[in-house]
């Protein structure tokens, strides 16, 4: 009964929201966005992927359920029953009753003026500037495509299938599923086409707009281009300060591939490769799951038949433990060497 009431309440709330948005779409248009307002909303478009129209409409009401996260560029709430997005700085201009001017996205109204005050979304930054274009290098294609066959995973899958030979067919399904999981994780993931993809050389002010313990970093170049900065570069001093720089971005996903001649992602990944400690932990967990499943499914009979399997399984698990400890040590050494190398490098070039 309680669940049905909750579902009904949610359905009613969604219906009211749709009705409020629909009523706002039918409200008279005051004007169209000017160039300054378009520029002020560029960070929102870049950060969220939200698209909006340029028709400014009036919206009045009390602001309810409003978030207050000053470390984020945009907060959300409900104004007059309509879901709204607004700059975090707008909290200073809120009143018990608010007169706003908004533009509409698919599921939101975006405030561009609140109680007579024009809301700039962020400090006015220049737009990013396109300087040129090239194609991915062979090393960058290999980095994007990534992946190789993980033989340890195939060995883990083989252990599960070997155990199936000593398990009744009617109870072997869990082992078959574990074997399929291990084989699936072992297979390389090829990302994107084999041919080199376009890379844009872009200049702008790089800034980190969202960085909290609970949220992944969000990086913006200029006011209008979201970029994916490699995780290993994010704590480097060269990128930790807001400054103008020149970056090479893969066009289709915004991944930063280079920042001048001294910062090249493909070279760094080759010089400081992944240790693989996570994969050793994954194979160990799968082996323990297989061993636990075999122990549960084993039926009274000839225990000697499974002795070679158990010896092999225990040996493989111990091997993964040893390799995991060794790879963790290599990871610590790699991180230390990488920090020293990054600290000694010149910062990315300005343009």
């Amino acid at each position: 009964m309680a669940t049905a009431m909750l579902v009904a309440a949610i359905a009613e709330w969604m219906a009211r929201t749709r009705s409020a948005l629909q009523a706002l779409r039918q409200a008279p248009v005051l004007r169209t966005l000017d160039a300054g307002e378009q520029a002020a909303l560029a960070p929102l478009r870049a950060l969220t992927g939200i698209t909006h129209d340029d028709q400014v409409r009036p919206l009045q009401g009390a602001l309810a359920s409003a978030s207050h996260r000053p470390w984020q560029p945009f907060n959300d709430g409900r104004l007059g029953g309509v879901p709204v997005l607004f700059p975090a700085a707008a909290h200073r201009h809120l009143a018990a009753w608010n007169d706003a001017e908004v533009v509409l996205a698919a599921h939101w109204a975006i405030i561009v003026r609140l109680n007579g005050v024009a809301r700039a979304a962020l400090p006015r930054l220049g737009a990013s500037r396109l300087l040129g274009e090239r194609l991915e290098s062979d090393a960058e294609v290999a980095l994007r495509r990534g992946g190789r066959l993980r033989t340890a995973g195939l060995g883990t899958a083989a252990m599960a299938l070997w155990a199936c030979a000593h398990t009744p067919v009617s109870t072997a399904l869990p082992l078959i599923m574990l074997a399929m999981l291990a084989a699936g994780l072992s297979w390389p993931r090829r990302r994107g086409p084999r041919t080199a993809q376009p890379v844009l050389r872009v200049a702008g002010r790089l800034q980190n707009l969202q960085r909290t313990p609970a949220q992944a970093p969000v990086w913006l170049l200029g006011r209008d281009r979201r970029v994916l900065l490699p995780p290993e570069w994010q704590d480097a001093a060269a990128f930790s300060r807001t400054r103008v720089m020149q970056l090479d971005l893969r066009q289709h996903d915004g991944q930063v591939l280079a920042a001048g001649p001294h910062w090249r992602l493909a070279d760094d990944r080759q010089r400081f490769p992944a240790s693989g400690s996570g994969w050793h932990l994954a194979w160990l967990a799968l082996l323990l799951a297989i061993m636990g499943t075999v122990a549960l499914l084993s039926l009274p009979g000839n225990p000697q038949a499974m002795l070679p399997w158990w010896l092999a399984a225990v040996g493989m698990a111990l091997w993964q433990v040893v390799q995991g400890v060794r790879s963790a040590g290599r990871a610590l050494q790699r991180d230390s060497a990488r920090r020293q190398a990054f600290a000694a490098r010149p910062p990315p070039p300005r343009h």
Side-chain angles (χ1 to χ4, degrees), residues 100 102 144 152-153:
V102 302
R144 168 176 54 80

Side-chain angles (χ1 to χ4, degrees), residues 146-196:
R148 57 184 178 81
L149 187 64
R150 300 179 179 89
T151 55
L154 293 181
T156 304
M159 292 300 299
L161 294 177
W162 182 5
C164 287
H166 301 278
T167 305
V169 175
S170 59
T171 58
L173 181 60
L175 289 172
I176 295 174
M177 293 179 64
L178 288 170
M180 293 174 63
L181 176 59
L185 292 174
S186 303
W187 205 255
R189 269 69 174 170
R190 300 299 186 186
R191 296 182 291 275
R194 296 180 181 180
T195 55

